[in-house]
Structures are given as structure tokens and as C-alpha cells.
Amino acid sequence: MSETIIKQIPHDDLVEQLAPLTRYAFYPSPPVDTSDFEKNLVLFDDCTVLGMYDGERVVGSAYALHMTQNVRGKLLSMGGVAGVTSMPTYRRRGHVKRLLVELFSQMNAQGMAVSTLYPFRESFYERLGYTTFLHRRRVSCNVSDLRSLITHEFPGTVTFGHQSDGWEEQYAFMREHQIRVHGMGFFADEAMNHLYGKKEWWFAHAYDENGILVGVMPYRITGFQGTFEVPYLYTQNSLARYLLLQYIARHIDQVTKLDILRLLPDERPETWLSDLNFKAEPDIWITPMGRVINVRGLAGISVDDDAVTLAISDKFCEWNNGVFTFSSEDGKLVITEKDVNTDVDAHLSINGLSALIFGTHDLHDFRWREWGQLSDATIKRLQMLFPMQAPYLFTSF
């Protein structure tokens, strides 16, 4: 077998070279249908798409979608890694690892501070520095459980229509929502408009008594006596939630079941209404993972008041290796590089730093995960500086 090389796949070659690889790996086959890939080429505008070439043929791939992500209150440039695969005869040869290490370098050069992905196997990506987020929750109940809301008087209104007609207003609301939700990641505007604005959904928008948009909810109905399916429901306040739940309740003679496919981690649907018998299904989709691509790019995220000096080790992104002091100034993270001989409070692997920044793990677990040895005193200071949070990625890719 000849020597393989890694290089960018030209945009004009994506349908011919990339699509068959990703369709073979992630879709039913045969046949290998690339028509859907062609419809979504907008995703690859300004996208870093790497191919593993054996001669003129692409035998492996990995790409980073240019995205934004809220990390502790600041929108950072994020690389959404996807399309990680290789032909069966080229697997287990280290090609995918080589592709990803090169992709890290590309993301760093393009100013991406963090990266997320949906893993084919968590342990593989953990070895490359990623840390696991929380499961995404799907909840369902009988629409009849909402009956008591039908006649309730709420100060506000709900409008509905086709998603394409309400998307512009909905997306503006969602962009404001992203600023409030830790971990929330969006594609570039054109891709968001293409993927979500043209979906065959209805929309319901909730307005308060002053006519201000306070909640958005796309949905579809699977059929008479079927399911009222809500992909996501975002509200600015409690009123918006009840306006939208009441709107769902008005379908009581049309549908039997309510499905909400993505709930924010801090939502408590079982408390919304008495006798509301929600059932949760946490394993509806692959659990995402996240990684710090450039330590310095984290400056400015929201932190509490404290300071700690850490030695960071990263096998695959050498620019992250070093000693850094993380401190707070007016509630924002300040990162100061130190001499490598500086006394440190702890040594952390990039996995440990990623788990710390995204707020996903108990810091006491780090020693057992081999992410770093932390004293009780250092743990208290890190917990003060970086309180535990539950990242919610939202976008699937």
C-alpha cells in the first residue's frame, strides 16, 4: 500500500470524494446515496475539510465546521468536528488519529478556542483530549395531562405559522438565547438558515402583554391521534412556557402524545404542572464531547473570584503546554503565562482542563481518570473559580 498524505479536499471535489466516505460510514447502504449531501453543501462553505489521500483517492476524512459556542457566558469560535471516518481497508492504522491531530493544528491557526463532536467511541476521543458532556434529554407525556391549562387566562398571545415564515424572528430570539446558555453551539448564519429555517415545521411564538417575543417553539404533528413533536422549546420566562404549553393543550382532540426532543439541562418539566406525567429518555442521541483547542483563547469567559496556577500538558496541541495562572478580573477570566519553573497548584492534562472549563466532572474524580492530582485546597479554589455547569450543545452534526 502506497504512502498516504493529508491535505484539504477542494470544495468542488466534496460530492465525489467526501460524500461516499461519510455515507458509507454513517448511513444505510447500499446504495450509497449522496443526494442529501449535495443539498447541504452550504455547511462546507469556509469549512476545513481534510482528506487522507492514497494517490488521487481519498481514503479517510475529518472536518471542522466553523461554529460559535457559549463557554461560560462568552461566545467563542468553535470547531465542530464531524465526518471522521476511513475506508474499511484503511482502519486501525492510525490514519484517523493523524487526521485529527492535523485538524487541531488547522483549528488553532484559524482562531478556534474550543472544539466539540459526537463520538463514535468516547474512549477514542478521550485519548485525544476530549471530555464527555451530559446526556441530552427527551421527555414525553400525554397531551391530556395539560387539560387544566386550556381555560386558564394568561397575559399574552401565541401566533403560529410555517417555520419558513417565522424563522427570522425565531432565529434572532435564539441568538439572544445562545448568549445565556453555557455550551450552546450554532453553525454560521447561512447554514443555520438553511438547516433550521427551511425545515418542514410549524412555529408557535409566545408574546407577553406588551407584545415582546418571550418564547419560541417549532413543532410538527405526526397525524390525527398522533404526536405533537417539539424539537426544542426556548423561553425567556415562566409566562412564555405556560403560553406555549397552553397552545399545545389546545390540540387535545387532535393528538395524544407530546414529545419534546431537546430539553435544557436545568429544565424541570415534572414541576410544570400537577399530574403531568413526563417520562424521560436520556439516550436519544450520542452524548457530545468537548475539548480546549487553545488555552489562551479562553480569556474573557465568566468566572468567580479566585486565582490558581496550573501546569497544562497536551500531547497533541503543543502550544497548550506550559504554566498558566487563571485569575478573575471583574468577573472575567484572565490568563497569564508563567515560567515553566514557577511553582504550581496542580498539573492537569488537557482532558482535565477541558472538563474544568466546560464544568462537566467532579474535580475529585480527576485523580482516578489520570487527568491530574488535585489537593483538597486546590479543588476548593477551582470550584470557586469554575463552578460546575451543564453544557447544552443544541446543534447536531
Side-chain angles (χ1 to χ4, degrees):
M1 192 173 292
S2 58
E3 183 180 355
T4 57
I5 62 170
I6 296 173
K7 60 182 180 180
Q8 180 92 7
I9 303 176
H11 194 276
D12 291 344
D13 292 345
L14 292 178
V15 174
E16 179 183 352
Q17 295 275 30
L18 178 64
L21 267 176
T22 57
R23 272 19 189 193
Y24 182 88
F26 305 114
Y27 290 76
S29 66
V32 177
D33 183 5
T34 62
S35 60
D36 183 60
F37 184 95
E38 295 181 57
K39 293 177 184 177
N40 293 316
L41 273 175
V42 64
L43 277 174
F44 298 93
D45 291 347
D46 195 31
C47 176
T48 303
V49 185
L50 296 182
M52 179 72 69
Y53 282 80
D54 186 348
E56 297 298 316
R57 184 174 59 152
V58 176
V59 297
S61 67
Y63 55 83
L65 299 160
H66 288 229
M67 303 177 67
T68 59
Q69 183 178 29
N70 179 325
V71 178
R72 295 186 179 268
K74 183 178 180 181
L75 292 186
L76 300 180
S77 179
M78 183 264 279
V81 174
V84 180
T85 186
S86 61
M87 287 185 175
T89 51
Y90 289 79
R91 293 174 185 173
R92 304 285 175 161
R93 297 171 180 267
H95 293 319
V96 166
K97 179 180 175 181
R98 285 176 55 202
L99 279 163
L100 287 166
V101 171
E102 176 59 27
L103 197 59
F104 293 158
S105 180
Q106 295 279 341
M107 286 191 282
N108 180 57
Q110 294 165 24
M112 297 178 182
V114 289
S115 170
T116 62
L117 52 78
Y118 290 89
F120 61 80
R121 189 172 68 252
E122 288 183 18
S123 58
F124 175 83
Y125 287 103
E126 183 182 320
R127 290 193 292 271
L128 289 166
Y130 284 85
T131 188
T132 305
F133 288 5
L134 305 184
H135 279 305
R136 196 162 80 186
R137 286 190 302 155
R138 169 181 181 169
V139 297
S140 61
C141 71
N142 294 324
V143 175
S144 59
D145 292 350
L146 302 171
R147 184 184 301 274
S148 63
L149 292 175
I150 293 177
T151 57
H152 203 289
E153 293 293 333
F154 293 107
T157 59
V158 174
T159 64
F160 89 101
H162 193 275
Q163 174 78 341
S164 58
D165 297 324
W167 171 247
E168 186 174 342
E169 186 179 31
Q170 183 181 129
Y171 185 40
F173 183 90
M174 289 172 64
R175 290 303 299 259
E176 293 179 3
H177 202 70
Q178 184 190 21
I179 297 171
R180 298 192 293 270
V181 179
H182 171 59
M184 197 168 191
F186 283 175
F187 297 121
D189 289 345
E190 188 176 355
M192 288 292 290
N193 294 336
H194 174 77
L195 291 175
Y196 294 93
K198 296 181 180 179
K199 279 281 190 181
E200 286 300 318
W201 291 331
W202 298 109
F203 76 82
H205 291 174
Y207 300 84
D208 65 16
E209 60 270 37
N210 298 313
I212 297 172
L213 182 65
V214 291
V216 299
M217 179 183 70
Y219 68 94
R220 66 180 179 182
I221 295 170
T222 63
F224 183 67
Q225 298 298 312
T227 300
F228 192 102
E229 190 174 277
V230 178
Y232 52 87
L233 185 157
Y234 298 138
T235 57
Q236 195 174 87
N237 53 36
S238 177
L239 170 65
R241 180 189 306 121
Y242 284 104
L243 283 169
L244 292 173
L245 289 174
Q246 183 186 60
Y247 177 80
I248 297 170
R250 295 187 187 282
H251 294 75
I252 196 169
D253 295 321
Q254 183 179 353
V255 294
T256 59
K257 182 182 177 184
L258 166 65
D259 264 359
I260 304 177
L261 305 185
R262 294 188 188 97
L263 268 187
L264 291 168
D266 58 353
E267 289 278 17
R268 300 177 181 181
E270 61 275 7
T271 69
W272 291 348
L273 198 67
S274 298
D275 301 324
L276 189 56
N277 188 26
F278 266 119
K279 299 186 184 302
E281 301 176 56
D283 298 324
I284 62 166
W285 181 240
I286 302 168
T287 305
M289 303 180 78
R291 188 196 203 280
V292 172
I293 295 296
N294 191 305
V295 174
R296 300 158 189 83
L298 301 172
I301 66 175
S302 296
V303 291
D304 286 342
D305 189 24
D306 214 314
V308 66
T309 299
L310 302 173
I312 305 299
S313 61
D314 189 337
K315 295 179 181 178
F316 306 106
C317 303
E318 72 281 353
W319 53 88
N320 286 332
N321 292 315
V323 175
F324 305 87
T325 293
F326 299 84
S327 59
S328 174
E329 184 175 307
D330 298 325
K332 304 299 181 183
L333 180 64
V334 175
I335 301 175
T336 308
E337 293 188 57
K338 299 290 187 178
D339 184 89
V340 292
N341 296 315
T342 302
D343 290 336
V344 300
D345 296 294
H347 291 77
L348 282 187
S349 69
I350 196 63
N351 304 79
L353 180 67
S354 298
L356 180 68
I357 295 301
F358 284 112
T360 52
H361 289 68
D362 184 338
L363 303 189
H364 295 86
D365 294 350
F366 281 23
R367 63 182 301 183
W368 315 119
R369 303 296 298 270
E370 299 182 349
W371 294 350
Q373 295 286 338
L374 304 176
S375 68
D376 289 342
T378 299
I379 287 175
K380 288 181 180 179
R381 293 167 65 189
L382 287 172
Q383 288 172 333
M384 179 65 71
L385 195 60
F386 302 103
M388 185 173 284
Q389 295 200 27
Y392 168 82
L393 184 54
F394 170 69
T395 316
S396 300
F397 49 88

